[in-house]
Amino acid sequence: MVHKAGFVSIVGNPNVGKSTLSNLLIGERLSIITEKAQTTRHKIFGIVNEKDYQIIFSDTPGVLEPAYKLQESMLKFSKSALNDADIIMFITDTVEKPGKNEHFINEVGALNIPILLVINKIDLTTQESLENLIIFWKQLLPSAEIFPVSALKKFNTDSIFKRILELIPLSPPYFDKDALTDKPERFFVSEIIREKILLYYQKEIPYSTEVEIEEFKESSDRVDIRAIIHVARDSQKGIIIGHQGKALKKLGTEARKDIEKFLAKKVYLQLFVKVSKDWRNKDKLLKGFGY
Ligand code: GDP
Ligand code: MG
């Protein structure tokens, strides 16, 4: 039997719809981790398996100018995604100023692999502005094939998938044919907790926080999880815990509900808060967190 397999890297600026689109192409299972801009700090593979093909999508952190070391490493993930790919899906939309991050666009344009330029959110524009946008992008990235779509309305997204299938090379599968992702369950558990932190805390708190799963013990009827929430400063610890521990309790309850849904099992979740001074700038700590 002829088998095809390949890597598709999804790149683009924050908020253009990368996660919405990749959920559509990969399936909803991974959606829990990609709901907010900058939720995606790591490179995550989502794998689509059929009898005669395996497509490995990577949804990467949005392209941005690094302001601190964590972001530098996020940017590195985006750049490495370019080098490993068989196909690049460069996502833009009808809202952002076209052509921003010119440096990155030039890097993409210089690659010797197929580039699918997806113009998302066409539901928000007129035919005329869309045509102008297409002309603009054709000049900027002449080697790209352009796909105007609406990920939200599921309009024209099938054509991207079809084209990907044509373009991926003949190859045996890279991963087990029943794998959905390259990341273990505990990774998704930490992402669920982090998602709740993004939801319930303001300003710099979510971006100063890292979640470490210290224990993940599965028995027949339940999973025991101990997670440490690392913050960068003393004052942030108090904010996470909240008055009489109420904020942390709410965080724990809401996270537990989603983790139970994800693991389809009863979960006993313990959360601890720890000050790891200035972790975002410390190589050793970052390394320990997997960056
Ligand atoms: P990412 O940061 O690139 O991963 O972007 P997301 O997938 O998180 O989407 C950012 C926002 O754009 C979300 O509020 C989405 O619901 C919205 N969005 C995504 N695709 C479309 C689309 O086709 N049309 C419209 N109107 N909104 C969209
Ligand atoms: Mg995203």
Side-chain angles (χ1 to χ4, degrees), residues 27 41 89 91 109 111 130 170 213 222 260 268 287:
R41 283 183 188 167
M89 266 174 72
I91 321 290
L111 294 168
L130 178 61
L170 292 175
I213 306 297
R222 74 175 213 197
E260 285 182 334
Y268 181 64
K287 220 172 154 197

Side-chain angles (χ1 to χ4, degrees), residues 248-288:
L248 185 63
K249 192 163 174 213
K250 179 178 175 201
L251 169 65
T253 307
E254 295 305 312
R256 180 186 46 80
K257 285 188 205 155
D258 274 8
I259 297 168
E260 285 182 334
K261 254 186 256 163
F262 179 68
L263 297 174
K265 243 182 189 173
K266 198 168 146 44
V267 165
Y268 181 64
L269 176 67
Q270 281 179 288
L271 294 177
F272 298 89
V273 187
K274 186 176 165 187
V275 181
S276 296
K277 281 233 160 59
D278 201 24
W279 66 267
R280 292 183 307 186
N281 278 312
K282 293 209 173 126
D283 289 330
K284 217 170 138 189
L285 285 171
L286 284 172
K287 220 172 154 197

Side-chain angles (χ1 to χ4, degrees), residues 35-271:
E35 264 158 31
K36 290 201 163 186
Q38 281 208 52
T39 338
T40 332
R41 283 183 188 167
H42 298 263
K43 178 163 142 183
I44 295 157
F45 287 148
I47 304 173
V48 178
N49 288 302
E50 283 298 334
K51 232 173 101 193
D52 51 351
Y53 65 82
Q54 178 174 71
I55 308 173
I56 304 127
F57 289 94
S58 63
D59 182 13
T60 56
V63 180
L64 31 77
E65 294 300 320
Y68 42 83
K69 271 204 172 165
L70 169 64
Q71 291 189 336
E72 275 175 31
S73 130
M74 287 164 67
L75 196 65
K76 244 188 271 159
F77 283 121
S78 292
K79 295 212 164 139
S80 79
L82 293 187
N83 298 321
D84 305 340
D86 295 297
I87 300 168
I88 301 285
M89 266 174 72
F90 190 116
I91 321 290
T92 178
D93 65 15
T94 58
V95 182
E96 73 172 347
K97 196 170 146 279
K100 95 181 176 194
N101 282 318
E102 207 183 327
H103 184 73
F104 190 78
I105 294 170
N106 291 339
E107 245 174 83
V108 170
L111 294 168
N112 210 1
I113 47 178
I115 300 159
L116 310 184
L117 179 79
V118 177
I119 302 177
N120 190 28
K121 306 191 189 179
I122 60 170
D123 56 292
L124 296 180
T125 193
T126 60
Q127 185 64 29
E128 197 194 348
S129 346
L130 178 61
E131 278 163 15
N132 287 330
L133 201 56
I134 291 174
I135 292 170
F136 182 89
W137 277 107
K138 269 190 181 147
Q139 285 167 350
L140 214 56
L141 262 177
S143 56
E145 289 178 43
I146 298 179
F147 293 81
V149 310
S150 168
L152 199 67
K153 312 264 184 224
K154 302 189 167 96
F155 179 77
N156 205 28
T157 47
D158 286 350
S159 65
I160 305 175
F161 198 87
K162 267 193 212 132
R163 188 64 184 133
I164 289 171
L165 261 184
E166 287 171 2
L167 289 170
I168 54 167
L170 292 175
S171 160
Y174 292 92
F175 296 93
D176 228 37
K177 292 286 296 236
D178 51 21
L180 287 169
T181 172
D182 63 321
K183 294 273 189 287
E185 277 177 338
R186 56 196 289 159
F187 169 80
F188 291 96
V189 168
S190 70
E191 289 288 299
I192 290 170
I193 297 168
R194 227 156 55 70
E195 187 210 35
K196 298 303 169 203
I197 296 171
L198 274 167
L199 275 176
Y200 300 136
Y201 298 92
Q202 319 292 315
K203 295 192 184 131
E204 94 285 5
I205 293 288
Y207 307 105
S208 308
T209 310
E210 177 66 20
V211 177
E212 181 189 9
I213 306 297
E214 203 190 34
E215 184 185 275
F216 187 96
K217 227 169 50 192
E218 203 165 355
S219 54
S220 57
D221 62 333
R222 74 175 213 197
V223 188
D224 286 81
I225 300 167
R226 271 167 61 96
I228 300 176
I229 298 169
H230 294 268
V231 292
R233 285 202 306 269
D234 285 324
S235 59
Q236 294 165 346
K237 181 172 176 176
I239 295 172
I240 294 275
I241 293 171
H243 183 58
Q244 293 177 339
K246 281 200 181 114
L248 185 63
K249 192 163 174 213
K250 179 178 175 201
L251 169 65
T253 307
E254 295 305 312
R256 180 186 46 80
K257 285 188 205 155
D258 274 8
I259 297 168
E260 285 182 334
K261 254 186 256 163
F262 179 68
L263 297 174
K265 243 182 189 173
K266 198 168 146 44
V267 165
Y268 181 64
L269 176 67
Q270 281 179 288
L271 294 177

